[in-house]
Amino acid sequence: MPKCIFIDTTRCTACRGCQVACKQWHDHEAVPTLQTGTHQNPPDLNPNNFKLVRFSEHKLDGRVHWLFFPEQCRHCQDNPPCKDAADEFLEGAIIIDESTGIVICTEKTKELTKEQCEEIIDACPYNIPRLNEKTKELTKCDMCIDRVHAGLVPMCVKSCCTGAMNFGEREDMLKLADEHLAYVQKTFPDAELLDADFLGVIYLVSHPREMYHEYAKRETHPLNRADFLASVTKPFRNILG
Amino acid sequence: MTQSWIDIKHANVVLIMGSNAAEHHPISFKWVLKAKDAGATVIHVDPKFSRTSARSDFHVPLRSGTDIAFMGGLVKYIQDNDLIQKDYVTEYTNASFIIADSYKFEDGLFSGYDAATRKYDQSQWAFAKDDKGIPKRDKTLQDPRCVYQLLKKHYERYNLDTVSSITGVSKENLLKVYEIYTSTGKPNKAGTMMYALGWTQHSVGVQNIRLGCMIQLLLGNIGVAGGGVNALRGEPNVQGSTDHALLWHIIPGYNAVPTSAWPTLADYQKANTPVSNDPMSVNWWGNRPKYMVSLLKGWFGDKATAENEFGYNLLPKVEPGVDYAMMFVYDRMYQKKDIKGGMIFGHNPAMSFPNTHKVRAALQTLDWLVMGELHDTETSSFWRQPGVDPKKVKTEVFLLPACQRGEKDGTTSNSGRWHQWHFKGQEPLGESKSMGWMLIEIMNRVRALYEKEKGAFPEGILAHDFLKEYDAEEMAMRINGRFTKDVTINDKTYKKGEMVPSFTLLQNDGSTYSLNWCYTGCYPAEGQNLAKRREHTQTPIQAKLGLFPNYTWAWPVNRRILYNRASVDVNGNPFNPELPIIAWQDGQWVGDVPDGPAPPMAMEGGKYPFIMHTEGHGQLFGPGRVDGPFPEHYEPVETPLTKNPFSSQLSNPCVKLPKSDLDLLAAPGDPNYPIVLTTYSMTEHWCGGGDTRNTPYLLEAEPQLYVEMSHELAEEKGIKNGDVIVVESIRGKVEAVAMVTVRITPFQVEGKTVHLIGMPFCFGWTTPGVGDATNRLTPSVGEPNVTIPEYKASLVNIRKADKVTELAR
């Protein structure tokens, strides 16, 4: 049965418990950061940060809107574009765990070239995977697959105290997402679930998705192999670094 | 907290004021959001738009230091529109009490003020009493000298125009908050107030909280589900440390510290034991002698006897009228240089105290300093701080490595007064030890020296019944207390050595001991450490309330919601039948543990609900605070204004100001320092940052000192987001990274634009490149009642930095 994380961003207080808990579970190194005029730190996903709370602030009609977006891999259902892209280069570099639907970058990604990795990253509509320059592996959120197989919830969900992060069977999460959406729409009529049909990590947002960050918006539909081949010739999109 | 965290979910309106709850008490928002889900309106009133504001229904920016003006306007709104919860106010508060003629208020000053000492004669603010010594009352609330009418008179100046002009809050926003919050004045509605250091850290800090309490009393919101005045306490175990008297002015169990004005125990008991002639008043502090003798008996054991005043004569006594708060200890250290040494445990004053320059200079006058810490801090390394030559510092510093809380057994008391046991998770790293172990070890060695060498007043040291070695379980038992001999009380015999099951059984004859009466009952029998309970069992009424009486233990007597007798009418029927806390059914109370077993007030033997007050009533008129019985707006000591529109008293007339060459203050309206600075904590770092800057994941998330400021101010000063700037007060300067944000807006105050900036205070030089103490900017200004510093409002200026020395770039 596919597993799913449902993230209700309207309940997120950006405490960043999920961001830190993720690092702790994966035994990731702390990365050196600087204050650059934002609370968002590190500035972007990286091989030591599979989860990152993005902050964006707006003032509309005299009212402040501070939006929080706990970013992570969406674990696309069926044909994840990263996997489709990777399969072109090396079968088994990126796989889907059958019992859970979790999309995994395996150790085999080490065998990919840097250019191949960049193409895979470019295939991701959410700009999620990152190349670990040291190990040469492609990295991203693994939905704490070790925990999930042991019957535990992912660390980010475990750490969340407000009910923003939820984990369970996809069917149950979709139901929960619909309930939350109906409730949030009373205050924010334009609230929506982001790409819920395709994804194993579903976000509920209250504001237009482009207000959260550049890649909150899915720019392409899931690619099939033919689409992918057609796309590899187009110039790389700028990868946030 | 008068409530528990869970209880927040029952509120119809949540007013978060003087707190950034979502960031500093993240778990609180689990319950705030549950309240919101159930239809509550969540309001955040605070100088800046924070993560709390983002999750509230709306945010109202307020100029820091004007909470009394804001809430004074709310009191006026309540009274003008008659929105009080009538029965509650008449029966349970002192609104109907007649005040003695000696009480007056004129142009910002209450009667009895002595300008020379900056103190009031509080006896002039007395209740008028009848020939039996019972306060006179007018339950129609019409007498011009009754509290209700005096309150009305006091706040008649707090009209919308003046309040809006001084606070910088638009009239529209004021009315919006007033309207929504007063909707909780109905018997079946409740509003909760959540506050923290945003209310306390002002020169009017205690009166900020008083006024919050008064509004809650007027609206009938104390003692009821979803109500209360909720001090958000948390990480630093403020609740537990206050209960156990970490502060200088009290000894455990909220008993006054002995002074030389009370040379004998009899003097102490007489001065501290209030008397009520009203048979309906419980006057709980009438029990003080039992608690005090039991405490002395706990300290001195068999050596405490009736003949030697249970060891009272062995206690050190402070001088009356002298302030021993740390602000004045550092002042003395710096100026008189007569403090030889000291011990600092789990505290980083070289970061967290105001006017840090002075603290850092003061420490250099010590011969020795012993510190217990997890990490090297700016305090333990003051001798090698930037600009100081270690060779020229005479102080010998001993840094004892302390273990983390997960490495020791013990308790923390949460905000809802839950006494919670935490179990050691692993052995301490390396040679580190718990701070309890250190203190016991040091003291036993000192005792051994006194034993051997005697010295001055050895009995003061040796008479203590001291632990041989640190044992958290034994401490918990001693805090609860034991019988010291076989005693029969109400036909039941308790054996010597047996645990005292409840503080009602504590005695004033030495037959019981307890190191803190509040906690008696937490360990009612051998093997029953209730702090370890993790049971979720509930009765249906408890389940509805979200009470978990079998999960840990709450002081007092496992009562989860304080003053709960105020949640029922005089006949014991809940004001809100949907959510009763207690109810009188078939001749007994059901629900939470009631505030005493007495029947409802209208019945024979009935008692008033506010049992801790001598008169038994919630105090709208509060003669116990040194700076006035009604809160009055005064400007912060450093204010951008030169006039207070409410009176000719610009700042709090009783404020405490140490005077030294380093205690400079900007003049009111000083053009060199026109910007208001407010300081705060953040989610990612803890207090002065000693722990969390050494936790790499947290430093990654919040790596360096920043200044939050408006786009308008940034533009005025030619500053861009991410620029390093210099923030300067009359006391010092600090480098920080500009965070230019829409979350801070300029205020329109008394016809001019006032800018406000905000900075965290957790970044210090021992972590390279993160910046250094923000508190080099803030002033040593002490609130008159408790000497809490005015961290939340001071004056600064800012400019773009020419060169960067404190921050990695």
Side-chain angles (χ1 to χ4, degrees):
Chain A
M1 287 288 286
K3 304 290 182 194
C4 185
I5 292 177
F6 163 57
I7 304 176
D8 181 347
T9 65
T10 70
R11 300 186 84 81
C12 176
T13 58
C15 73
R16 298 197 271 197
C18 56
Q19 181 177 319
V20 172
C22 171
K23 293 191 71 118
Q24 200 137 21
W25 183 256
H26 292 95
D27 209 9
H28 279 155
E29 285 170 30
V31 299
T33 53
L34 292 176
Q35 175 54 257
T36 57
T38 169
H39 289 290
Q40 183 177 312
N41 241 331
D44 196 15
L45 296 171
N46 64 67
N48 284 305
N49 289 78
F50 294 169
K51 178 107 189 177
L52 174 74
V53 179
R54 295 187 187 276
F55 293 71
S56 63
E57 58 181 52
H58 310 269
K59 196 164 189 175
L60 304 171
D61 304 326
R63 199 177 163 172
V64 178
H65 301 264
W66 202 10
L67 306 178
F68 312 130
F69 196 87
E71 173 96 285
Q72 65 183 91
C73 171
R74 311 298 199 276
H75 295 275
C76 300
Q77 308 281 301
D78 312 321
N79 304 324
C82 63
K83 179 178 179 299
D84 284 348
D87 284 351
E88 289 301 313
F89 307 122
L90 181 64
E91 290 273 350
I94 295 179
I95 59 169
I96 299 178
D97 179 56
E98 265 184 37
S99 62
T100 59
I102 296 173
V103 180
I104 296 288
C105 289
T106 72
E107 274 194 31
K108 276 181 102 174
T109 55
K110 276 184 199 168
E111 297 164 33
L112 297 168
T113 66
K114 192 176 177 186
E115 289 70 27
Q116 288 170 336
C117 287
E118 279 168 3
E119 285 186 31
I120 292 166
I121 295 166
D122 193 44
C124 172
Y126 303 104
N127 187 249
I128 297 294
R130 293 290 181 270
L131 176 59
N132 185 329
E133 299 280 356
K134 271 193 217 154
T135 66
K136 309 295 178 201
E137 275 176 89
L138 262 185
T139 62
K140 66 166 196 66
C141 159
D142 58 4
M143 215 190 267
C144 293
I145 188 167
D146 46 353
R147 291 178 59 89
V148 172
H149 278 294
L152 302 170
V153 302
M155 238 8 243
C156 53
V157 178
K158 180 79 182 166
S159 74
C160 182
C161 62
T162 62
M165 309 274 311
N166 304 274
F167 174 80
E169 299 298 332
R170 181 172 164 77
E171 216 172 287
D172 296 337
M173 287 300 106
L174 280 172
K175 197 162 157 262
L176 185 67
D178 284 336
E179 284 167 17
H180 279 236
L181 181 64
Y183 170 73
V184 174
Q185 278 177 334
K186 288 182 199 163
T187 318
F188 298 97
D190 297 334
E192 59 172 331
L193 300 174
L194 296 184
D195 312 318
D197 295 346
F198 315 125
L199 305 182
V201 175
I202 299 165
Y203 288 83
L204 191 168
V205 294
S206 52
H207 290 64
R209 49 173 75 186
E210 57 274 11
M211 284 173 69
Y212 289 80
H213 76 105
E214 188 182 356
Y215 293 101
K217 192 173 167 71
R218 188 182 181 93
E219 294 184 342
T220 54
H221 288 288
L223 298 178
N224 58 33
R225 197 161 285 196
D227 288 339
F228 171 73
L229 288 173
S231 73
V232 289
T233 51
K234 81 178 180 203
F236 296 138
R237 268 195 300 274
N238 185 30
I239 297 163
L240 287 178
Chain B
M1 272 181 154
T2 52
Q3 324 288 113
S4 74
W5 291 110
I6 299 172
D7 185 70
I8 295 168
K9 72 174 178 175
H10 297 307
N12 300 102
V13 180
V14 180
L15 177 60
I16 305 171
M17 189 167 173
S19 154
N20 179 358
E23 298 194 28
H24 305 156
H25 301 86
I27 297 289
S28 71
F29 253 67
K30 175 175 183 170
W31 306 107
V32 172
L33 290 179
K34 278 189 197 291
K36 209 172 160 195
D37 292 345
T41 306
V42 180
I43 306 169
H44 189 215
V45 180
D46 199 73
K48 73 160 180 178
F49 188 104
S50 66
R51 296 180 238 186
T52 298
S53 325
R55 288 285 78 87
S56 298
D57 284 280
F58 61 96
H59 168 245
V60 173
L62 162 103
R63 175 170 65 98
S64 187
T66 61
D67 303 69
I68 288 178
F70 187 98
M71 289 189 284
L74 177 50
V75 170
K76 180 173 162 58
Y77 183 87
I78 291 170
Q79 292 193 293
D80 284 354
N81 297 290
D82 197 20
L83 297 167
I84 60 169
Q85 189 179 324
K86 196 80 190 284
D87 290 346
Y88 187 107
V89 169
T90 313
E91 296 294 342
Y92 297 158
T93 77
N94 65 14
S96 63
F97 285 36
I98 310 296
I99 300 303
D101 290 339
S102 51
Y103 166 78
K104 285 188 188 63
F105 177 78
E106 276 165 27
D107 192 24
L109 283 178
F110 299 91
S111 48
Y113 185 65
D114 177 359
T117 57
R118 302 171 67 85
K119 281 181 179 156
Y120 282 108
D121 169 10
Q122 290 172 249
S123 68
Q124 299 205 11
W125 314 332
F127 300 116
K129 291 185 178 169
D130 64 14
D131 49 7
K132 294 196 194 96
I134 298 173
K136 288 188 196 166
R137 295 173 69 182
D138 171 21
K139 286 202 192 177
T140 68
L141 308 182
Q142 297 305 313
D143 189 304
R145 292 297 292 176
C146 82
V147 168
Y148 191 78
Q149 293 301 329
L150 291 174
L151 183 74
K152 205 170 197 169
K153 195 160 171 240
H154 190 85
Y155 290 108
E156 72 186 2
R157 296 163 294 146
Y158 288 62
N159 57 57
L160 276 184
D161 286 329
T162 315
V163 171
S164 172
S165 172
I166 193 89
T167 56
V169 179
S170 69
K171 284 192 259 185
E172 182 197 356
N173 269 345
L174 286 173
L175 277 176
K176 191 170 165 190
V177 177
Y178 294 174
E179 267 168 41
I180 294 172
Y181 200 70
T182 51
S183 69
T184 66
K186 299 192 180 68
N188 62 345
K189 299 281 180 200
T192 187
M193 288 187 176
M194 295 167 67
Y195 79 90
L197 306 181
W199 265 2
T200 59
Q201 292 177 339
H202 291 279
S203 52
V204 292
V206 170
Q207 298 286 4
N208 278 337
I209 297 148
R210 273 267 305 137
L211 192 45
C213 295
M214 288 161 61
I215 289 163
Q216 292 295 67
L217 287 171
L218 289 169
L219 298 173
N221 280 336
I222 290 182
V224 304
V229 177
N230 292 307
L232 307 185
R233 304 174 136 185
E235 293 172 281
N237 197 12
V238 178
Q239 186 68 52
S241 59
T242 323
D243 299 341
H244 293 295
L246 208 66
L247 302 164
W248 76 270
H249 70 298
I250 46 172
I251 55 177
Y254 299 94
N255 293 303
V257 75
T259 81
S260 58
W262 308 319
T264 68
L265 179 60
D267 297 327
Y268 179 93
Q269 303 287 37
K270 186 159 182 259
N272 290 287
T273 309
V275 177
S276 167
N277 294 334
D278 190 338
M280 289 183 71
S281 178
V282 172
N283 183 26
W284 194 265
W285 284 117
N287 292 307
R288 187 171 327 256
K290 299 174 189 171
Y291 305 151
M292 184 63 184
V293 170
S294 293
L295 174 60
L296 289 167
K297 193 71 189 159
W299 278 341
F300 297 109
D302 291 343
K303 299 223 171 61
T305 62
E307 290 69 40
N308 71 359
E309 305 183 291
F310 300 101
Y312 180 81
N313 62 336
L314 298 174
L315 294 180
K317 317 276 189 302
V318 303
E319 289 305 314
V322 176
D323 193 325
Y324 294 81
M326 286 313 292
M327 186 187 289
F328 288 94
V329 172
Y330 287 116
D331 185 58
R332 180 169 163 177
M333 203 184 284
Y334 174 68
Q335 298 210 72
K336 285 179 83 177
K337 303 182 175 51
D338 64 345
I339 296 175
K340 285 197 179 333
M343 299 208 224
I344 298 179
F345 281 72
H347 178 39
N348 191 0
M351 282 298 296
S352 56
F353 252 68
N355 199 7
T356 318
H357 286 300
K358 185 176 167 186
V359 174
R360 291 176 176 190
L363 290 168
Q364 295 177 45
T365 68
L366 297 176
D367 291 339
W368 56 271
L369 174 66
V370 177
M371 290 200 54
E373 265 300 350
L374 269 71
H375 301 280
D376 184 25
T377 69
E378 289 70 21
T379 304
S380 55
S381 267
F382 75 86
W383 51 274
R384 60 179 187 96
Q385 66 188 296
V388 167
D389 178 1
K391 289 196 197 78
K392 291 185 180 151
V393 178
K394 62 170 181 171
T395 322
E396 188 171 7
V397 180
F398 304 87
L399 175 57
L400 309 178
C403 64
Q404 245 290 1
R405 84 176 81 177
E407 298 169 333
K408 60 188 178 189
D409 289 324
T411 62
T412 46
S413 295
N414 83 354
S415 216
R417 300 160 282 100
W418 295 12
H419 185 51
Q420 309 181 107
W421 196 265
H422 62 78
F423 295 88
K424 177 157 80 175
Q426 66 165 43
E427 290 304 318
L429 281 180
E431 294 182 321
S432 64
K433 301 280 188 194
S434 80
M435 291 183 194
W437 183 93
M438 291 176 195
L439 286 168
I440 299 278
E441 187 69 16
I442 291 170
M443 204 54 202
N444 276 330
R445 291 185 191 212
V446 168
R447 284 159 61 87
L449 280 173
Y450 269 92
E451 195 88 62
K452 202 169 127 208
E453 301 173 10
K454 302 303 175 198
F457 196 47
E459 57 273 35
I461 304 292
L462 295 173
H464 280 265
D465 181 16
F466 217 66
L467 286 177
K468 295 280 170 290
E469 57 186 37
Y470 182 70
D471 178 345
E473 197 80 34
E474 171 62 15
M475 271 313 290
M477 293 173 88
R478 289 191 181 197
I479 286 166
N480 179 88
R482 296 180 169 104
F483 289 94
T484 62
K485 54 184 168 196
D486 295 1
V487 194
T488 302
I489 305 165
N490 299 335
D491 298 334
K492 189 166 169 13
T493 301
Y494 301 91
K495 293 276 174 211
K496 178 180 176 177
E498 217 175 291
M499 306 303 293
V500 181
S502 162
F503 59 54
T504 54
L505 296 168
L506 292 174
Q507 303 296 317
N508 65 359
D509 60 0
S511 59
T512 58
Y513 82 77
S514 161
L515 290 177
N516 192 332
W517 70 273
C518 298
Y519 284 83
T520 303
C522 72
Y523 214 125
E526 286 281 343
Q528 286 188 34
N529 185 346
L530 302 187
K532 291 180 179 173
R533 290 191 298 182
R534 297 295 184 267
E535 278 291 313
H536 288 202
T537 46
Q538 299 164 305
T539 63
I541 184 172
Q542 290 161 346
K544 199 166 179 189
L545 283 170
L547 296 186
F548 292 90
N550 300 304
Y551 188 91
T552 70
W553 181 87
W555 76 259
V557 293
N558 207 26
R559 184 177 300 134
R560 304 287 163 142
I561 298 179
L562 299 181
Y563 306 115
N564 52 27
R565 294 177 73 94
S567 71
V568 295
D569 66 18
V570 293
N571 295 308
N573 301 314
F575 282 125
N576 182 1
E578 288 300 304
L579 269 177
I581 300 182
I582 57 169
W584 184 257
Q585 285 176 6
D586 307 325
Q588 61 172 9
W589 292 107
V590 295
D592 195 5
V593 180
D595 264 321
M601 220 168 96
M603 295 181 190
E604 174 139 15
K607 301 286 183 193
Y608 303 134
F610 288 94
I611 59 173
M612 303 311 286
H613 284 307
T614 310
E615 300 80 16
H617 290 73
Q619 294 199 327
L620 293 171
F621 185 86
R625 304 281 74 81
V626 303
D627 51 349
F630 288 134
E632 170 69 0
H633 171 75
Y634 302 112
E635 282 292 303
V637 167
E638 285 197 343
T639 167
L641 304 184
T642 51
K643 275 177 76 178
N644 177 359
F646 293 108
S647 74
S648 40
Q649 286 298 319
L650 188 61
S651 58
N652 190 330
C654 302
V655 73
K656 293 179 178 177
L657 302 171
K659 289 190 169 57
S660 77
D661 60 337
L662 291 183
D663 284 300
L664 305 174
L665 292 170
D670 190 332
N672 297 315
Y673 304 103
I675 300 167
V676 175
L677 166 71
T678 190
T679 67
Y680 33 74
S681 310
M682 62 167 93
T683 312
E684 293 79 1
H685 289 288
W686 184 12
C687 298
D691 252 9
T692 47
R693 277 182 274 125
N694 287 292
T695 304
Y697 292 166
L698 298 176
L699 192 63
E700 169 194 293
E702 283 292 0
Q704 291 178 307
L705 184 56
Y706 57 84
V707 189
E708 293 179 286
M709 68 176 75
S710 69
H711 285 275
E712 292 85 346
L713 177 62
E715 194 171 323
E716 208 175 280
K717 298 282 183 182
I719 291 165
K720 287 191 205 61
N721 192 38
D723 282 351
V724 174
I725 67 163
V726 175
V727 185
E728 204 160 0
S729 79
I730 197 166
R731 292 160 294 275
K733 50 188 173 190
V734 170
E735 286 175 16
V737 179
M739 191 183 284
V740 181
T741 172
V742 295
R743 294 177 291 102
I744 291 190
T745 43
F747 295 94
Q748 291 306 315
V749 179
E750 296 284 279
K752 67 173 182 176
T753 300
V754 173
H755 289 291
L756 176 142
I757 61 171
M759 297 173 77
F761 65 93
C762 57
F763 294 104
W765 64 268
T766 60
T767 310
V770 303
D772 196 9
T774 296
N775 277 318
R776 289 175 293 171
L777 302 170
T778 53
S780 297
V781 167
E783 190 278 341
N785 293 281
V786 296
T787 325
I788 194 166
E790 189 157 58
Y791 293 102
K792 295 296 183 197
S794 61
L795 292 179
V796 295
N797 208 342
I798 60 170
R799 62 183 156 84
K800 205 169 158 174
D802 306 328
K803 57 174 186 180
V804 182
T805 58
E806 296 183 350
L807 293 161
R809 285 285 96 184

